[in-house]
Amino acid sequence: MGFVVVSDHGKEEAMNIVVAMKQVPDLKMIRIRDRRPLLEDVPFMMGEIDRSALEAGAELREALKGKLIVLSAGTEPLEDTVKEALAAGADEAILILDEALRDGESALVAQVLAAALARMPDVGIILFGEGSADNYSGQVMARVAEILSWPQVGYAREIRIEGGVAQITRSLEDCEELLEVPLPVAVSVVAEIRQPKTPSVTGILRAGRKPKTLWTLADLNIGLNGGAPVRTISRLAPVSSRLGQVIGSVDELVEIVKAKRGPS
Amino acid sequence: MNIILYSERPDLASELVTAGRAIMDICGGALQALTIDDDEQADFLAARGVSVHRVRSDQPSPADVAQLASAVHQTAVALEADMILLASNRRGRELAGRLAQKLGGGCLTDVGRFEVLDGRPAFSRNALGGAVEDVRCMETGKQVIALTPHSFAAAGVATGPGPVSDLPVRLSPSLVRLKETIRKGADAVDIEKADILVVVGQGIENKEDLTKAAQIARSLGAEVACTKPVATDRKWFSEERIIGLSGKRCKPRLALLLGVSGQVQFTVGIRDAGAIVAVNLDEKANIAYVADYLLVGDLKTLLPELVKRFSA
Amino acid sequence: MDFKLTKEQELIQRTAREFAEKNLLPQVESIIEENRVPDAVIRDLKDLDLFALFMPEAYDGAGADYQSYVLVMEQIARICPAVAVIMSVNAVGLAAVEIFGTEAQKKTYLPPGCRGDGVLSFAFTEPGTGSDPKQITATATRKGDAYILNGTKRFITNASFAGPIIIIARETETGEVSGFIADKFCDGYAISEPWKKMGCQGAPLYDVYLKDLAVPAENRLGAPGKGFRILKVALALGKIGISAIFLGTMLAAYEEALRYAREKTHRGEPITKFQAIQMAIVDMAMKYEAARWMTYRIGYLADHAKDKGDILKDSAMAKIFVTETAVDLARIAVGVHGSYGLMKDYKVSQIWRDVIFGPQVEGVSHLLKVLVAGEILKG
Ligand SMILES: Cc1cc2nc3c(=O)[nH]c(=O)nc-3n(C[C@H](O)[C@H](O)[C@H](O)COP(=O)(O)OP(=O)(O)OC[C@H]3O[C@@H](n4cnc5c(N)ncnc54)[C@H](O)[C@@H]3O)c2cc1C
Ligand SMILES: Cc1cc2nc3c(=O)[nH]c(=O)nc-3n(C[C@H](O)[C@H](O)[C@H](O)COP(=O)(O)OP(=O)(O)OC[C@H]3O[C@@H](n4cnc5c(N)ncnc54)[C@H](O)[C@@H]3O)c2cc1C
């Protein structure tokens, strides 16, 4: 006989795991010309850390007996990009598609994701990457948690769930914190939490057949009053003043290192 | 501009003092610091000449970011702050988003510097994985700015200390229980402060060669740092030693990069070094565009030679 | 017309590339040295459903299409052609059973083949002939409820793996050529020492000795005398795999040459400064592109053909073009390397030994041209 988690009502409760996925341009494909990034024809992909988050989420499925749902807000190619998450094991997808989400502005995205979460039943935990592969801003998780008045834990390296409580190891620069938090909770994970798995062909082919729900901003009663809180004035590749000199010998290297090292 | 600053780490808070003063130079206003249940830090900051508010919470729970945000928010409201400066370490970044949401304001994390545009500060941060730098302005009355550690010098002790006052806040009970804090190893190294760095990349393929790199570092009086996969995949070092987007931003006088390919996510962490000298097998590795000097060659054969030459 | 991959195809391609780079790359050297692919590789391929890509899900296949199969074979062969050769021959065997087999044969042989529990062989070539099925001398003699098989089959891939083997032999009673499914390592099945191959090491070739090997009558594949038909279809499909494999080696050769050209310096400047090297690079890029679209197209044709035998002319043309062009391209890639290209330390020297296999297998180029000419001129 094993232990079964029971709620106050005495019946077993399934809770869903949500993974927030951001579609990002394939950074390896971005070329710079005249210091400007060329983004046309750069394909979109699921961010690497989000793949780790999904893998971590898949492991929680058993403890929560619920579904693994991928949630994403963005523009049109998202319907295709989300197949990566579905191929890697998510059970279903909820997508919010709108041109206004093109820039992925954190405050707006958080508002949208929180509104979507509010209408999804039985969410036990939502996982985010510690930062998106392109912007690495790391605000969305905390903003969503605030809107929903949920507790939050950032930089999770390990998550275990037992009896409706999450045990989370938060990895900070100089220490790790072992935390206990009730569900529902918003969590961001570090890339090391899990190695993303290579999806199987069957997984990939079934991805397109998994349930997908599409919502618009109007469905979520979100209006776009006022402009974005942050305005981007310029976006340029930094100019390098490095010498970029190829040196021919170890002698030269030793000489340079000794000179640059200065008095010790 | 009414600015308040907060970081749980006194050294980072004192950098925020420098940054805050620079912003005041642009837009005028007042700069105040707050500490949360940390009188020692309050004295430390007051000695740097800022006015400090000691926040006293009724039920402190430092690992609960929701509570931290609530404490800072109540202070910001009480002091009518327009801008909150935080440190962009992990705790600070997590706090930034929640606080900005509470304030209904815009937020930028990982800000490395700022300039003046039309009498307002414009903030620079990396985007597209470090391939470009964005310059951004805030359009909201309230704003949260988290600054990359060590982007600004720490404020020194001032001639006259700033005033210290108490500020009580009321917090709702915490939902996050801190069961244990585990210090990370004995690796108390601070590569951000190092004058000279030897950086190990995946081009160093075995532990034997790693020992040689460490030997070179010792001869040069350098700290050893590494790229991300060397710490997270190979686990040769603690994450403390990672340079880059998800690691540290370092400004050593000299950096010697051994077997580092130089992807943007790495180079954002070493961009501001004085001189960069690299050794790589691949002349076309991206590091060629990042380094001042590149020696093309195989570390397997070069390392023993370098060990000998530098120890001489 | 749309030359874009679907998202699914893109992801399948990425799965194959990740597998090849993470799993195969670290063991390529030992695979070549030992002339053997570890069983674990087959198991890992199966775990990702890469092993029997286009078999229907009903038989434990992945249910993907031939276009995806082509993308996968290209990526695998880019890193290790031997593994792709094993997959290709297995796929030919599976396809033959799927197309010509009875329901009972399919239920018995397809699921284990798809799962990678057994690896299929397809035995046609003999010491006397590889190109001319009319010269087949292996015999099948009806004896009660069984056929008794005798003869020698030459250059048989996968012959040392457990699993079924499809044998093309001549029925002694009628003189007709038929197909038979036997289990390897049953009584009457024996193999030689592996041939010492100059390239594509890892997919060893054996001679197979059939000595009074008894095959139950229900294991005849297709009707009596259907042997040529089976060969035609199997070879039509086999050429898809072979084209994709040598497309993969072309990609590898091109990448190697490009990298070398960028690294190698002459008087302090990379040799890409020289126009001759630039032209070599363009020649390689063009050849690869031409071969690529021809190969992808036969994947498409196979997906849409009702009778897979109908694509024989197109798959033969693709196979001739791709394998011959692969040799041309590898020659250029070696040239870019100078003498280093002849040294075993340089990957391109192995590719050079591999590419030469292309025009010689699954129908030599000469013979395939005869076949294509016949199709074109038949009026
Ligand atoms: C969101 C995100 C955040 C990231 N954050 C960071 C970060 O903070 N820091 C970080 O470092 N990375 C980060 N990365 C990873 C980064 O993209 C690179 O993968 C990583 O920096 C590569 O590390 P490397 O140079 O050690 O290894 P590789 O890229 O494998 O390079 C090894 C180099 O060694 C050379 N070499 C090999 N053998 C020899 C030899 N015998 N002699 C001489 N040279 C040799 C090779 O030519 C090559 O250039 C991040 C990635 C993402 C997506
Ligand atoms: C790596 C590898 C794997 C193989 N795997 C298998 C396998 O699994 N199963 C299997 O059955 N076989 C296999 N083979 C054998 C291969 O298919 C044959 O070797 C190939 O078809 C050529 O046959 P052959 O060597 O007998 O040449 P031949 O038939 O003797 O031909 C020699 C030459 O004669 C000329 N020629 C012959 N007939 C004609 C004609 N009618 N018109 C014009 N010119 C002609 C051609 O120029 C040809 O190049 C494999 C071979 C290799 C190298």
Side-chain angles (χ1 to χ4, degrees):
Chain A
M1 201 187 80
F3 293 96
V4 173
V5 181
V6 287
S7 76
D8 300 341
H9 317 292
K11 74 172 190 332
E12 219 174 309
E13 237 172 61
M15 291 190 110
N16 296 322
I17 304 132
V18 180
V19 174
M21 179 198 95
K22 181 177 180 184
Q23 112 178 320
V24 295
D26 186 343
L27 298 178
K28 290 192 293 296
M29 305 282 278
I30 296 177
R31 298 281 165 272
I32 304 284
R33 188 177 299 153
D34 299 332
R35 296 187 64 199
R36 281 170 217 286
L38 303 175
L39 287 166
E40 295 87 46
D41 294 332
V42 172
F44 281 106
M45 56 189 279
M46 176 174 181
E48 190 74 5
I49 303 179
D50 295 352
R51 283 178 80 186
S52 298
L54 189 79
E55 197 57 43
E59 281 181 31
L60 294 175
R61 204 163 14 191
E62 210 159 302
L64 287 175
K65 304 202 162 31
K67 283 184 293 195
L68 182 62
I69 302 169
V70 54
L71 172 64
S72 187
T75 50
E76 216 284 308
L78 198 51
E79 277 194 73
D80 242 9
T81 311
V82 77
K83 286 178 185 166
E84 285 190 49
L86 294 167
D91 298 307
E92 61 177 270
I94 294 180
L95 306 179
I96 301 96
L97 295 176
D98 201 293
E99 259 314 297
L101 295 164
R102 177 165 295 280
D103 292 337
E105 208 289 313
S106 303
L108 177 61
V109 169
Q111 192 191 357
V112 169
L113 296 184
L117 280 167
R119 41 171 77 193
M120 292 162 63
D122 307 320
V123 174
I125 186 168
I126 176 160
L127 302 177
F128 296 77
E130 64 168 283
S132 60
D134 55 348
N135 249 345
Y136 217 74
S137 173
Q139 297 176 38
V140 179
M141 181 279 280
R143 282 182 180 270
V144 168
E146 171 61 24
I147 296 170
L148 297 171
S149 300
W150 286 7
Q152 74 178 66
V153 177
Y155 305 98
R157 186 184 61 74
E158 191 61 63
I159 306 168
R160 255 189 289 272
I161 296 181
E162 246 173 275
V165 177
Q167 312 273 350
I168 301 175
T169 308
R170 175 195 267 148
S171 173
L172 294 176
E173 285 87 352
D174 53 352
C175 68
E176 290 195 337
E177 293 176 339
L178 186 57
L179 306 165
E180 201 172 77
V181 203
L183 304 184
V185 60
V187 176
S188 79
V189 306
V190 292
E192 299 84 78
I193 190 166
R194 286 298 175 271
Q195 187 89 3
K197 272 203 205 99
T198 303
S200 74
V201 176
T202 327
I204 293 165
L205 293 175
R206 286 183 190 148
R209 290 179 240 148
K210 288 183 174 176
K212 213 169 4 174
T213 309
L214 305 184
W215 283 332
T216 61
L217 293 190
D219 290 333
L220 299 175
N221 294 322
I222 292 176
L224 295 169
N225 38 5
V230 181
R231 188 160 56 92
T232 301
I233 293 164
S234 72
R235 161 166 286 197
L236 294 171
V239 269
S240 168
S241 55
R242 298 286 166 191
L243 302 174
Q245 199 172 313
V246 175
I247 49 179
S249 67
V250 173
D251 286 344
E252 242 178 291
L253 181 126
V254 171
E255 211 169 288
I256 290 164
V257 166
K258 285 192 170 159
K260 298 287 174 190
R261 171 192 170 197
S264 52
Chain B
M1 180 91 54
N2 213 345
I3 307 172
I4 61 172
L5 66 90
Y6 169 75
S7 169
E8 80 287 358
R9 273 180 48 180
D11 56 335
L12 300 184
S14 73
E15 293 173 11
L16 300 180
V17 172
T18 306
R21 285 180 176 149
I23 295 173
M24 283 206 304
D25 287 346
I26 301 170
C27 354
L31 176 71
Q32 304 173 74
L34 67 108
T35 61
I36 300 175
D37 300 316
D38 187 347
D39 292 354
E40 207 177 311
Q41 197 198 142
D43 295 340
F44 174 86
L45 291 176
R48 268 122 196 104
V50 266
S51 150
V52 182
H53 297 272
R54 297 194 299 201
V55 172
R56 307 242 183 245
S57 58
D58 45 347
Q59 34 196 340
S61 178
D64 184 348
V65 173
Q67 278 213 344
L68 273 181
S70 177
V72 179
H73 177 237
Q74 289 178 44
T75 315
V77 171
L79 301 176
E80 294 179 351
D82 312 300
M83 178 187 286
I84 294 100
L85 285 182
L86 304 173
S88 208
N89 58 346
R90 287 188 167 180
R91 182 84 87 207
R93 235 181 281 137
E94 213 189 314
L95 172 60
R98 189 131 194 169
L99 183 59
Q101 192 63 38
K102 274 190 193 296
L103 289 163
C107 172
L108 288 174
T109 56
D110 277 318
V111 169
R113 55 195 174 82
F114 50 81
E115 57 202 288
V116 192
L117 267 178
D118 304 331
R120 301 195 292 171
F123 301 96
S124 295
R125 70 184 303 280
N126 291 307
L128 294 177
V132 294
E133 198 177 54
D134 278 0
V135 178
R136 297 189 182 177
C137 266
M138 309 300 280
E139 301 288 333
T140 48
K142 308 282 176 202
Q143 44 191 273
V144 178
I145 306 290
L147 298 172
T148 307
H150 309 322
S151 300
F152 296 87
V157 174
T159 37
V164 176
S165 57
D166 286 342
L167 208 152
V169 295
R170 293 200 62 80
L171 301 175
S172 40
S174 173
L175 293 172
V176 179
R177 197 163 75 82
L178 176 62
K179 290 172 71 179
E180 202 184 340
T181 302
I182 308 143
R183 294 278 137 208
K184 276 190 181 168
D187 202 354
V189 66
D190 191 351
I191 57 167
E192 287 163 320
K193 294 224 176 86
D195 262 349
I196 307 172
L197 281 176
V198 170
V199 185
V200 174
Q202 293 200 102
I204 290 190
E205 283 168 11
N206 56 52
K207 289 237 166 152
E208 230 169 277
D209 286 353
L210 182 64
T211 319
K212 297 198 182 95
Q215 245 170 301
I216 294 170
R218 228 172 299 132
S219 306
L220 292 174
E223 289 289 358
V224 180
C226 64
T227 63
K228 192 176 180 190
V230 169
T232 57
D233 298 353
R234 295 207 184 142
K235 311 237 181 272
W236 285 354
F237 293 108
S238 77
E239 288 164 38
E240 283 294 279
R241 291 186 194 250
I242 299 174
I243 290 180
L245 194 61
S246 41
K248 305 265 171 82
R249 317 291 155 95
C250 299
K251 301 176 186 170
R253 194 165 61 228
L254 166 66
L256 177 60
L257 313 186
L258 304 174
V260 174
S261 61
Q263 304 300 313
V264 279
Q265 294 93 350
F266 168 81
T267 59
V268 295
I270 198 77
R271 237 175 229 168
D272 297 326
I276 301 179
V277 182
V279 181
N280 198 303
L281 203 53
D282 178 0
E283 181 179 5
K284 278 290 156 172
N286 214 44
I287 205 67
Y289 305 101
V290 182
D292 293 301
Y293 304 97
L294 170 66
L295 178 64
V296 179
D298 190 344
L299 282 164
K300 283 193 199 81
T301 51
L302 285 173
L303 277 173
E305 203 178 335
L306 290 174
V307 168
K308 227 185 293 158
R309 297 292 298 273
F310 284 123
S311 64
Chain C
M1 215 183 299
D2 181 1
F3 292 93
K4 272 211 189 88
L5 303 186
T6 65
K7 186 72 183 179
E8 279 82 357
Q9 287 164 347
E10 207 179 277
L11 291 177
I12 290 173
Q13 184 184 44
R14 189 165 90 186
T15 285
R17 191 186 320 122
E18 281 184 11
F19 172 81
E21 288 178 354
K22 284 196 198 138
N23 189 316
L24 296 181
L25 190 56
Q27 41 183 339
V28 168
E29 272 177 43
S30 69
I31 286 175
I32 291 171
E33 199 137 309
E34 294 167 24
N35 192 21
R36 203 180 81 84
V37 170
D39 292 343
V41 167
I42 310 286
R43 204 181 47 232
D44 294 344
L45 277 166
K46 174 51 214 168
D47 284 346
L48 292 173
D49 307 309
L50 292 170
F51 201 59
L53 211 59
F54 54 77
M55 280 290 121
E57 286 177 90
Y59 300 113
D60 288 356
D65 52 11
Y66 275 95
Q67 291 168 78
S68 304
Y69 173 66
V70 164
L71 297 171
V72 166
M73 296 296 270
E74 178 187 4
Q75 291 302 325
I76 303 277
R78 169 177 169 257
I79 302 296
C80 184
V83 170
V85 167
I86 291 170
M87 292 166 71
S88 169
V89 172
N90 182 65
V92 168
L94 288 173
V97 175
E98 202 229 329
I99 294 170
F100 296 101
T102 62
E103 195 50 42
Q105 287 170 343
K106 290 187 213 182
K107 283 212 175 96
T108 311
Y109 293 108
L110 294 182
C114 290
R115 282 196 301 266
D117 291 347
V119 181
L120 276 82
S121 292
F122 191 96
F124 153 68
T125 306
E126 297 184 354
T129 182
S131 307
D132 185 1
K134 304 228 159 64
Q135 308 290 318
I136 280 182
T137 58
T139 56
T141 308
R142 184 74 188 239
K143 196 171 168 194
D145 279 346
Y147 285 95
I148 307 298
L149 272 52
N150 279 290
T152 299
K153 291 288 175 186
R154 175 144 290 174
F155 300 150
I156 303 306
T157 304
N158 295 343
S160 61
F161 286 109
I165 178 167
I166 293 165
I167 300 167
I168 306 293
R170 190 175 297 280
E171 296 200 32
T172 41
E173 251 168 279
T174 59
E176 288 178 326
V177 172
S178 303
F180 301 90
I181 313 174
D183 282 312
K184 285 179 264 187
F185 304 113
C186 62
D187 283 345
Y189 180 91
I191 58 174
S192 65
E193 285 292 302
W195 285 82
K196 296 198 179 81
K197 297 214 303 304
M198 66 172 285
C200 287
Q201 300 96 325
L205 292 181
Y206 299 86
D207 282 359
V208 168
Y209 308 116
L210 311 170
K211 191 149 188 294
D212 293 333
L213 187 155
V215 176
E218 70 260 23
N219 272 15
R220 195 189 56 237
L221 184 62
K226 272 277 178 215
F228 291 148
R229 174 88 195 121
I230 294 171
L231 269 176
K232 183 179 174 191
V233 172
L235 294 182
L237 295 175
K239 285 172 183 54
I240 299 175
I242 296 297
S243 301
I245 289 171
F246 290 93
L247 182 68
T249 60
M250 280 168 102
L251 181 55
Y254 173 58
E255 288 174 344
E256 284 299 306
L258 199 56
R259 188 165 56 179
Y260 185 86
R262 285 176 159 155
E263 284 172 16
K264 173 75 177 175
T265 54
H266 182 260
R267 293 194 183 171
E269 299 219 76
I271 58 171
T272 46
K273 288 271 181 219
F274 298 121
Q275 231 173 32
I277 296 292
Q278 292 171 7
M279 288 181 188
I281 289 167
V282 175
D283 282 340
M284 287 188 290
M286 287 189 309
K287 286 178 197 299
Y288 170 70
E289 280 299 311
R292 180 152 84 113
W293 295 111
M294 212 162 170
T295 307
Y296 290 4
R297 179 172 166 274
I298 50 169
Y300 172 89
L301 290 179
D303 285 328
H304 292 85
K306 274 209 199 67
D307 180 344
K308 306 286 186 230
D310 289 349
I311 68 164
L312 185 55
K313 181 185 119 196
D314 288 284
S315 71
M317 287 199 294
K319 193 265 175 187
I320 301 166
F321 182 82
V322 175
T323 57
E324 298 281 351
T325 311
V327 177
D328 294 346
L329 187 149
R331 170 76 185 84
I332 299 171
V334 171
V336 168
H337 280 74
S339 295
Y340 292 96
L342 308 173
M343 304 302 144
K344 286 201 172 176
D345 298 342
Y346 287 78
K347 205 175 145 191
V348 78
S349 72
Q350 175 65 37
I351 297 173
W352 176 242
R353 288 189 295 274
D354 292 339
V355 282
I356 204 72
F357 278 63
Q360 313 305 125
V361 301
E362 291 267 352
V364 295
S365 297
H366 299 156
L367 202 90
L368 293 180
K369 284 185 183 168
V370 172
L371 183 152
V372 174
E375 289 286 318
I376 293 173
L377 297 173
K378 80 180 171 199

